[in-house]
Amino acid sequence: MAAAVLIKNLRKSYGDVPAVKDISFTVEPGEIFGLLGPNGAGKTTTIRCLCTLAKPDRGKIEVGGISAIASPKAVRQRLGYVAQEVAIDKVLTGRELLKLQAALYHLPKKSIGDRTNQLIEVLGLQDYADKKTGTYSGGIRKRLDLAAGLLHQPEVLVLDEPTVGLDIESRMVVWEFLQALREAGTTVLITSHYLEEIDALADRLAIIDQGVVIAEGTPSELKDKLGGDRITLRIREFTPYEEAEKAKYILESLPFVENVIVNTVQGNSLNLIVTSGQNSLSKIEQSLSEVSLPTFSLAQSRPSLDDVYLAATGKTIMDAQIAASSSRDLKKEKKQQMK
Amino acid sequence: MSQSISSRNIKSALAPNPAVGGQNNESSNSLGDFIQETLALTQRLFIQLQRRPSTLIAGIIQPFMWLVLFGALFSKAPAGLFGSDLSYAKFLAPGVIVFTAFSGALNAGLPVMFDREFGFLNRLLVAPLSSRYSIVAASTIYIIALSFIQTAVIIFASAILGAGLPGIVGLSAIALIVFLIVLGVTALSLGLAFALPGHIELLAVIFVTNLPLLFASTALAPLSFMAGWLQVIASLNPLTYAIEPIRYIYGHGDWAINSIVMNTPWIGFSFGSVILVLLGFDALILLAIQPLLRRRFA
């Protein structure tokens, strides 16, 4: 069976600025695949190339084995696209917008009414469908756009940053809906710069940074590859620095401890990286009590996707996000995308 | 958020089905698809008009004011100045008809430009349209319909102001001429809407074209009033080729296809040859915008 989405050695520049340098990944049928990365990493450009809105400079793009460059129309029929900023005609009602979209995807005229009603019901839009879309909240607008993207029962639904700007409740609604969509057999490709979102939803993911893929796999694969568990230890609520240093000295001698840092910003707590599956917590507690050091709190966690990103790029996604938003000229980018 | 997403029927509603729509649908044919998408896009424009009618209202008030104000401006002009048997009201009506249709058509690209800027156009471009020319076709149908409404109102208002009313054949000929000038200018404006960077640039083009083309035509004064160089320009201006035959229809109940309706400094044009010139103008514009559209629609 052909991959639901295949992207290979994709490159795309706007002017002389490379938005995507070399991106390759494969989305298998029926999975939720996440593209994770800070703003400006090249996620949206990749999606624009996939959805035939932009022509790649080079590289291969296939949907269900069909080339997006050679047969764009066939690919458009197979994709549903939910853009980051929902462009809706404020004067139309939700129902009118859905009917317009149904006609653009050539649904048989007789079935348009039924299909529209069905999606209005599934997305819980009954109270809003006959109001003008200009009156909608962000969450309702996103639901309408989900309905619009699914009218023609596409094989792959592509969502670009689907929960940016949504309140937590609306975000949960979108998450649950995407999971239901996967249950029903639709492949989902989602981009996000929210770690939790990709971690919670994606069966597999690719992490993108500065136009290249820096890691691809399942969330747990990527974290396991990074190795070790993270342990945060507080000796007291506010630990004196000397005591923390003493504890660090003792813990560093334990065979399963790989690295210890005294985090002076967080009340001299200790951050440890330990080999997984060693019953580390009780051993740490024991060796501390042997030198009469108390334990205020002790927490163990798997590495997060942020740790994966951190290990590959030397910065957290949040840092990259802040750096990107201060250096980007969004107006210029928009102009170039309009070309 | 009073309603949440319903889990009832969710599976059947959401399951992918590649057989839906276009390519794989046996009953699909591309002409049927083209008509379906064009009608849906046209319908959207008419829903917008119905809910935001201010453009149409302004588009009717403005030519009415042209008629009243310009009519009053020249109302004391010596009799026979604008042609042996033409009152200025009669002289002016064809100019206002053509100029109004022209201005409306020149603005045709603006909604498309805003769709581009707001990202709504992307919604159309990711859809498997049988041809993206349906976007152009829908705008053209819409603008031509608007022009016909405006033309009807101007003809009616002019009749009240003393211009008289052409017969049914004359009215049909006026409709044909309005159609031809609107088609070409709409195509030009839509081409610009895809070629220019943004609405500021499009508005700039509209501003520098609109009024100069009015004054460089015979809408407000006959050729014989003009300086020699302006006569040359006016004789090359497509608006003149739309205005003069309509003016002839207003002035002569007995016009025919071979009546000489227009005299340039060089030659006279019959009604039939004026229509050919307008057809040529349309063909030229449609050919000229092809590369612009192809670049966007490839």
Side-chain angles (χ1 to χ4, degrees), chain B residues 209-243:
Chain B
T209 347
N210 204 3
L211 287 181
L213 275 180
L214 170 69
F215 291 116
S217 78
T218 56
L220 302 175
L223 270 183
S224 55
F225 282 27
M226 299 176 189
W229 61 270
L230 189 57
Q231 287 193 16
V232 174
I233 296 174
S235 302
L236 296 171
N237 184 345
L239 294 190
T240 303
Y241 289 81
I243 294 163

Side-chain angles (χ1 to χ4, degrees), chain B residues 176-286:
Chain B
L176 173 67
I177 293 163
V178 167
F179 171 81
L180 289 176
I181 194 80
V182 167
L183 181 65
V185 178
T186 301
L188 179 67
S189 181
L190 290 170
L192 290 174
F194 286 108
L196 295 175
H199 73 273
I200 304 283
E201 290 80 2
L202 183 58
L203 283 173
V205 171
I206 292 172
F207 280 135
V208 299
T209 347
N210 204 3
L211 287 181
L213 275 180
L214 170 69
F215 291 116
S217 78
T218 56
L220 302 175
L223 270 183
S224 55
F225 282 27
M226 299 176 189
W229 61 270
L230 189 57
Q231 287 193 16
V232 174
I233 296 174
S235 302
L236 296 171
N237 184 345
L239 294 190
T240 303
Y241 289 81
I243 294 163
E244 288 301 311
I246 296 181
R247 186 165 286 154
Y248 193 87
I249 291 168
Y250 261 94
H252 304 76
D254 56 343
W255 64 279
I257 198 87
N258 56 0
S259 313
I260 299 298
V261 295
M262 168 173 176
N263 282 300
T264 67
W266 316 291
I267 48 166
F269 283 88
S270 70
F271 189 87
S273 49
V274 163
I275 297 292
L276 286 180
V277 168
L278 290 174
L279 279 170
F281 167 70
D282 289 351
L284 197 70
I285 300 265
L286 289 173

Side-chain angles (χ1 to χ4, degrees), chain B residues 14 34 118 167 297:
Chain B
L14 300 180
F34 184 78
F118 287 122
F297 289 175

